[in-house]
Amino acid sequence: MAQGILDTIGLMAVVVLAVPIALFGAEHLVRGELLAGGVYLGIAALMIAIEQYLTTPTDIPGMVAEKTVGAVVKTEDPTEED
């Protein structure tokens, strides 16, 4: 899935926020607190997954424009001959 620059920057911001939570979870795992460590690691993974796969209201105009352009503009196949 191709990402634009704004999508990449948004993902980087979420990763910056998720890394301290993941490290906190790893610290709990090392101390032997498996439940707390697993919960914190799960929260960090969930933050990244939601950012990557959830469609937000700001994503909708781009999706509509992409589908509209794809329907209006037909690209010709260079291997196709008349």
Side-chain angles (χ1 to χ4, degrees):
M1 177 167 74
Q3 288 188 343
I5 188 75
L6 294 177
D7 294 331
T8 304
I9 292 171
L11 182 61
M12 287 173 34
V14 170
V15 168
V16 165
L17 294 174
V19 166
I21 296 171
L23 289 174
F24 189 62
E27 183 179 332
H28 278 280
L29 286 175
V30 168
R31 281 194 267 160
E33 300 170 4
L34 299 180
L35 180 63
V39 168
Y40 288 122
L41 287 175
I43 289 171
L46 191 62
M47 286 173 63
I48 294 171
I50 286 174
E51 167 63 28
Q52 192 69 18
Y53 297 110
L54 185 70
T55 302
T56 62
T58 59
D59 296 337
I60 293 173
M63 292 168 55
V64 169
E66 183 178 315
K67 288 184 181 182
T68 304
V69 168
V72 172
V73 178
K74 300 291 184 195
T75 58
E76 293 187 23
D77 189 10
T79 61
E80 191 176 289
E81 294 182 21
D82 290 331

